[in-house]
Amino acid sequence: RTSSHDVLPAPFDGVIVDYDVSPGELVYRMQSLFTLVDTAEVWVLADIYQKDIGLLETGGQCEVEVSSYPHEVFRGEITYVTDFLDPTSLTSKVRCVVQNSDNRLKLEMFADVRVPGRDERDALTIPVPALQNADGETIVFVKIDDDRFEKRVVQIGEQVENRAEVLGGLDEGDEVVTQGSFYLKSILLREQ
C-alpha cells in the first residue's frame, strides 16, 4: 500500500512555531497541523502600572531594548492597552508593534520597554551623589581646573533614579564632582 504525499504551501513567509502532526499520521481536512508566524512585525507585551496608564495613548511611540543588542533601541507603536488590571500585579498589558524585517528580535525574548510620557521634557541633570547640604543650602562643587573647585548653590527639581534635575545654579557643560564631594564639603566647613 502506498501513502499519498501532498505539499502544503504556506500562505505567507514565516516561521513554524508549533506543529500538531507526526510522520505517518492520518490527517483530516479541517485539522490544524502547523502554526505559522510572520516575524517581520512583532508584538512586544509590556506591563504598566496603573498610575502610568494615563500617560499612554494608542498610536503613541515606544522604545524597546533587548539584552542581545545592548546599545540599540527598536522603535514601535502602541496599538492596544488592556481594559483591565492583572489582579496579582495591578498592572495593565500594553501591546507595542515593532518592525522586525531583519528578524533580529526573536519570539519569547525578554525586553525593556520605555514609553515616553506626555510630560517628558529636556532637563539638566546631575548624579545625586554630587549634591551636598551645607548651611541649609544644596551645593555642588564644580571643577575649575585640575586642582581647583568652586562651590555652587543649586536649586533642585525632580529626582529620578540616581539623577537630580537642576533648576538653577549650573550651566550645561559644568563638570561637577561626584566621588569626593563629601571630602570637599568637609574642607569647606573646616575653612569656615
Side-chain angles (χ1 to χ4, degrees):
R1 176 175 167 181
T2 61
S3 61
S4 63
H5 291 88
D6 286 321
V7 175
L8 298 174
F12 54 85
D13 289 340
V15 176
I16 295 174
V17 293
D18 188 29
Y19 60 91
D20 189 22
V21 65
S22 299
E25 183 179 342
L26 181 63
V27 295
Y28 300 97
R29 178 181 302 253
M30 299 306 291
Q31 183 179 350
S32 176
L33 303 178
F34 302 100
T35 302
L36 183 68
V37 175
D38 180 5
T39 58
E41 186 177 88
V42 294
W43 288 6
V44 178
L45 297 177
D47 293 318
I48 187 158
Y49 294 109
Q50 64 180 351
K51 68 180 181 65
D52 298 324
I53 292 174
L55 301 173
L56 298 178
E57 55 188 67
T58 302
Q61 298 300 304
C62 65
E63 297 172 350
V64 176
E65 295 179 356
V66 293
S67 59
S68 302
Y69 311 105
H71 302 293
E72 190 163 355
V73 175
F74 298 89
R75 302 201 187 293
E77 180 182 346
I78 298 170
T79 59
Y80 181 69
V81 180
T82 57
D83 294 327
F84 55 89
L85 295 180
D86 179 303
T88 306
S89 63
L90 295 178
T91 59
S92 181
K93 291 279 187 212
V94 175
R95 179 175 64 211
C96 303
V97 176
V98 179
Q99 296 302 314
N100 188 36
S101 58
D102 53 6
N103 288 322
R104 293 192 305 152
L105 296 175
K106 308 299 181 197
L107 302 179
E108 303 301 329
M109 272 184 157
F110 283 98
D112 290 321
V113 177
R114 183 175 170 277
V115 179
R118 285 185 235 148
D119 63 346
E120 201 170 83
R121 65 189 188 285
D122 290 332
L124 177 62
T125 64
I126 59 172
V128 170
L131 300 172
Q132 295 295 326
N133 289 316
D135 299 325
E137 297 177 315
T138 302
I139 63 169
V140 296
F141 294 96
V142 177
K143 182 178 180 181
I144 303 299
D145 56 40
D146 289 339
D147 59 350
R148 287 187 32 219
F149 302 92
E150 176 182 78
K151 172 189 116 176
R152 296 255 186 99
V153 176
V154 293
Q155 293 79 40
I156 299 301
E158 294 183 34
Q159 290 188 21
V160 177
E161 294 177 6
N162 201 29
R163 308 281 302 176
E165 178 184 18
V166 178
L167 301 175
L170 283 179
D171 295 318
E172 189 172 342
D174 286 342
E175 290 185 53
V176 296
V177 176
T178 54
Q179 291 184 337
S181 64
F182 184 77
Y183 176 71
L184 291 175
K185 173 186 162 184
S186 300
I187 292 172
L188 176 71
L189 293 176
R190 191 172 39 215
E191 290 175 357
Q192 291 177 352

